[in-house]
């Protein structure tokens, strides 16, 4: 369970061994971390449609050996998005499932193009070749794919999954192969203005126009960071929820955490840090969150936490389906990246990678609970976005790339993993595999902050925290060890330059492999 893998000069870590292998192959051919990430991400778009895909989005953090940059390819609403119409139909938020209007213009492929343009070495066609081969010739269904295959097969265009009955059954995806071939042969326009784009415009029935797809949808932006446990931790600015991770880390660092993560007060203080950071997320996510990371604001929020009891927060505004992969290459470039998929009923499912010595972290948007609001005359879908993370040492050198899937729980999972790594000195395998808690709602997985005082503390089996947390005032629920608590992956650069990485055992077929 606590498997840490080691490598001297390059490593790829993802939720599926086929994707990790594709990324490693690019490193062995002289490709950069960005190249490896694109290759791995493309494979995930084929083999893990239940987590990510070409129709999804991407966030990436890149450490190029000297600086950290951030790429937001999270997608924008189509020109036909109309919040007034949705409200007239009685919606107070975007529909969770089976409604094309919850789907933004996919940013994933534009994210690949931007990463490749700035950091790529190998031809894009070479990077996409493993994914094209698997989509055309077939690949074995993973255990996690099997769980949703029957439902997917009943959806329009779900015929690829009709024959999936058990893990290992062969799956082919000819439509995805054609989309990747168009991208390899004709660049981003081959994808956005070709068969895929035309299909999206038709499915949208006025939600999108060709001009939406013609305009590149990836932007290099300034990342956010905070100091925690003697390191700088970096994440994405809004529209990502990355600030929740950074604020939670900064709050928790000033608390008297027990020496052992097995102590119930350890889980209590981290959970309270997450709640006091996120209780007003619905009000502030769309704003400039740099002010929220101001030391005075961190101190104010931290002062409300009591190690002896659970805090009553009050309502929001008062005081108080994704995948991830990472890569580090032999040149010291690191990448941390997470991706999401579109909702069922949209054009595709989605995926995400991370690569080598340059560090890139990316995450894609989850479409399940965006709020639709006017923005410069256009509706802006505001989804919950995954926060990839990148960690540097005080001298600016790369320490770690880490990320996870898990809806609203993503910052909470990373808070626990990073605290174990940096504060308690745990090896990646132990930090990743250890039991977790999450703030649960019993709803969609994207509604934690609708009523933060009502959130139950879901506890993964094996943590041993239940009685102690209940005594501190938490409502707790026991859940099995598994995917409900995310798939996190981590690559750590040791002081001697050796790489240590771990894929989450909850993913069942994930792999950290190196060279």
């Amino acid at each position: 369970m606590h498997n840490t893998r080691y490598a001297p000069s390059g490593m790829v870590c993802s939720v599926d061994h086929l994707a990790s292998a594709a990324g490693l192959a690019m490193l062995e051919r002289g490709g950069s971390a960005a190249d490896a990430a694109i290759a791995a991400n493309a494979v995930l778009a084929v083999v893990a449609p239940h987590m990510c895909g070409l129709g999804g989005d991407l966030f990436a953090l890149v450490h190029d050996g000297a600086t950290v940059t951030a790429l937001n390819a999270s997608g924008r609403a189509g020109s036909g998005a109309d919040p007034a119409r949705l409200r007239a139909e009685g919606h107070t938020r975007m529909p969770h499932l089976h409604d094309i209007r919850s789907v933004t213009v996919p940013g994933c492929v534009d994210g690949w193009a931007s990463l490749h343009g700035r950091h790529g070495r190998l031809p894009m066609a070479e990077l996409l070749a493993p994914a094209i081969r698997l989509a055309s010739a077939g690949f074995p269904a993973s255990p996690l794919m099997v769980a949703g295959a029957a439902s997917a097969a009943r959806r329009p265009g779900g015929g690829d999954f009709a024959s999936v009955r058990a893990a290992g059954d062969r799956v082919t995806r000819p439509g995805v192969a054609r989309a990747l071939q168009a991208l390899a042969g004709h660049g981003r326009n081959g994808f956005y203005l070709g068969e895929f784009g035309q299909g999206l415009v038709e499915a949208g029935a006025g939600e999108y126009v060709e001009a939406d797809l013609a305009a590149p949808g990836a932007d290099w932006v300034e990342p956010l960071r905070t100091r925690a446990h003697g390191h700088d931790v970096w994440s994405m600015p809004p529209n990502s929820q990355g600030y929740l991770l950074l604020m939670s880390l900064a709050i928790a660092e000033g608390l008297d955490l027990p020496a052992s993560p097995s102590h119930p007060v350890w889980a209590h203080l981290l959970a309270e840090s997450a709640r006091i950071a996120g209780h007003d997320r619905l009000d502030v996510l769309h704003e400039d969150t740099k002010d929220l990371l101001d030391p005075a604001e961190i101190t104010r929020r931290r002062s409300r936490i009591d190690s002896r009891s659970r805090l009553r927060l009050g309502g929001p505004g008062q005081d108080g389906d994704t995948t991830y992969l990472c890569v580090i290459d032999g040149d010291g470039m690191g990448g941390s990246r997470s991706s999401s998929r579109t909702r069922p009923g949209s054009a595709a499912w989605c995926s995400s990678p991370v690569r080598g010595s340059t560090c890139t972290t990316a995450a894609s948007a989850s479409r399940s609970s965006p709020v639709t609001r006017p923005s410069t005359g256009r509706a802006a879908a505001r989804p919950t976005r995954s926060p990839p993370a990148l960690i540097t040492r005080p001298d600016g050198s790369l320490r770690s790339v880490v990320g996870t899937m898990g809806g609203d729980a993503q910052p909470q999972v990373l808070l626990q993993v990073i605290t174990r790594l940096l504060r308690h000195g745990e090896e990646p395998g132990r930090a990743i595999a250890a039991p977790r808690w999450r703030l649960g709602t019993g709803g969609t997985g994207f509604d934690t902050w609708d009523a933060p005082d009502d959130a139950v503390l879901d506890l993964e089996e094996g943590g041993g925290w239940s009685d102690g947390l209940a005594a501190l005032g938490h409502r707790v629920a026991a859940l099995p060890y598994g995917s409900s608590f995310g798939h996190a992956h981590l690559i750590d650069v040791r002081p001697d330059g050796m790489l240590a990485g771990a894929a989450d055992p909850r993913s069942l077929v994930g792999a950290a492999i190196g060279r």
Side-chain angles (χ1 to χ4, degrees):
M1 290 290 286
H2 300 157
N3 290 332
T4 300
R5 304 299 183 189
Y6 301 94
S9 60
M11 181 173 282
V12 181
C13 184
S14 82
V15 72
D16 194 287
H17 65 101
L18 295 173
S20 297
L24 186 66
M26 300 308 147
L27 295 182
E28 291 175 337
R29 296 176 191 176
S32 67
D35 290 328
I38 293 168
N41 202 168
V43 169
L44 288 175
V46 173
V47 306
H50 49 295
M51 298 180 187
C52 67
L54 294 173
D57 301 318
L58 176 150
F59 285 116
L61 294 171
V62 179
H63 187 285
D64 63 5
T67 59
V68 178
T69 53
L71 180 66
N72 184 335
S74 60
R76 299 177 175 88
S79 296
D82 185 352
R85 184 178 69 225
L86 285 162
R87 293 190 187 103
E89 294 174 6
H91 295 289
T92 57
R93 63 173 59 218
M94 298 296 288
H96 179 55
L97 293 173
H98 315 315
D99 195 316
I100 194 71
R101 294 173 298 179
S102 289
V103 179
T104 54
V105 176
C108 179
V109 169
D110 271 334
W112 292 352
S114 293
L115 285 170
H116 188 256
R118 183 172 289 197
H119 297 293
R121 298 176 191 161
L122 301 177
M124 181 66 84
E126 186 172 353
L127 305 181
L128 300 179
I132 293 171
R133 175 179 55 80
L134 289 167
S136 300
F139 60 90
S142 72
L144 296 181
M145 175 189 280
V146 172
S151 176
R154 292 192 293 269
R155 303 293 172 194
D160 293 354
F161 311 102
S163 62
V164 176
R165 298 289 184 273
D169 287 352
R170 182 179 294 273
V171 183
T172 58
R173 305 193 65 197
V176 177
R178 292 195 303 273
L180 289 168
Q181 288 165 342
L183 174 60
H186 304 286
R188 60 93 55 202
N189 285 347
F191 175 78
Y192 286 103
L193 302 182
E195 179 184 354
F196 177 91
Q198 292 170 4
L200 184 62
V201 170
E202 292 172 5
E207 193 75 9
Y208 320 98
V209 298
E210 186 172 294
D212 296 334
L213 298 165
D219 301 298
W220 292 96
V221 298
E222 183 180 355
L224 297 178
R225 69 170 169 173
T226 194
R227 178 59 64 94
H229 310 299
H231 293 74
D232 285 323
V233 183
W234 304 75
S235 194
M236 297 294 302
N239 49 342
S240 162
Q241 59 176 336
Y243 87 93
L244 290 180
L245 167 63
L246 303 187
M247 180 181 281
S248 300
L249 280 167
I251 290 170
E253 184 181 26
L255 299 173
D256 187 16
L257 290 180
S260 171
S262 64
H263 197 294
V265 172
W266 185 87
H268 165 69
L269 291 177
L270 290 188
E272 292 294 89
S273 297
R275 288 207 309 132
I276 197 66
H279 74 284
D280 56 356
R281 193 200 75 178
L282 297 180
D283 290 336
V284 303
L285 179 59
H286 60 290
E287 298 174 353
D288 185 350
T289 52
K290 287 184 179 179
D291 290 343
L292 294 173
L293 299 177
D294 182 88
E297 179 64 14
I298 296 295
T299 299
R300 186 187 70 82
R301 295 196 183 216
R302 183 191 296 131
S303 68
R304 301 187 62 200
I305 295 175
D306 189 337
S307 64
R308 300 164 297 180
S309 64
R310 183 180 189 263
L311 171 67
R312 180 72 183 175
L313 290 166
Q318 300 178 12
D319 286 342
D321 288 338
T322 302
T323 186
Y324 172 82
L325 80 78
C326 52
V327 180
I328 293 180
D329 64 26
D331 296 327
M333 175 178 284
S336 169
R337 178 169 149 188
S338 61
S339 303
S340 67
R341 63 180 175 92
T342 53
R343 298 288 97 188
S346 60
W349 285 352
C350 171
S351 88
S352 80
V354 177
R355 23 196 202 267
S357 56
T358 296
C359 185
T360 302
T361 300
S364 73
S366 164
R367 330 283 185 157
S368 54
S369 61
V371 176
T372 305
R373 300 189 176 187
S375 174
T376 62
R378 234 174 121 177
R382 203 184 66 190
T384 301
R385 308 281 186 165
S386 313
L390 185 151
I391 304 170
T392 55
R393 294 184 171 88
D395 64 1
S397 62
L398 177 63
R399 167 68 194 266
S400 308
V401 286
V402 59
T404 187
M405 52 79 88
D408 280 352
Q410 291 160 0
Q412 302 157 33
V413 170
L414 293 183
L415 170 64
Q416 296 167 75
V417 171
I418 292 172
T419 300
R420 287 177 176 275
L421 177 75
L422 298 183
R423 181 153 184 160
H424 300 287
E426 293 186 357
E427 283 286 290
R430 178 171 292 277
I432 290 292
R436 299 168 184 158
W437 54 264
R438 70 173 190 185
L439 298 172
T441 64
T444 65
F446 299 92
D447 51 8
T448 301
W449 307 115
D450 289 355
D453 272 323
D454 295 338
V456 174
L457 202 54
D458 291 333
L459 305 178
E460 196 171 28
E461 65 178 332
W465 301 310
S466 182
D467 291 345
L469 288 170
L472 291 167
H474 294 275
R475 290 190 300 138
V476 300
L479 293 180
Y481 188 93
S483 294
S484 295
F485 293 86
H487 299 154
H489 310 296
L490 166 66
I491 301 175
D492 195 41
V493 183
R494 297 158 69 101
D496 63 0
M498 193 68 68
L499 302 177
D504 203 316
R506 299 166 183 82
S507 67
L508 303 181
V509 294
I513 54 178
R515 58 190 290 270

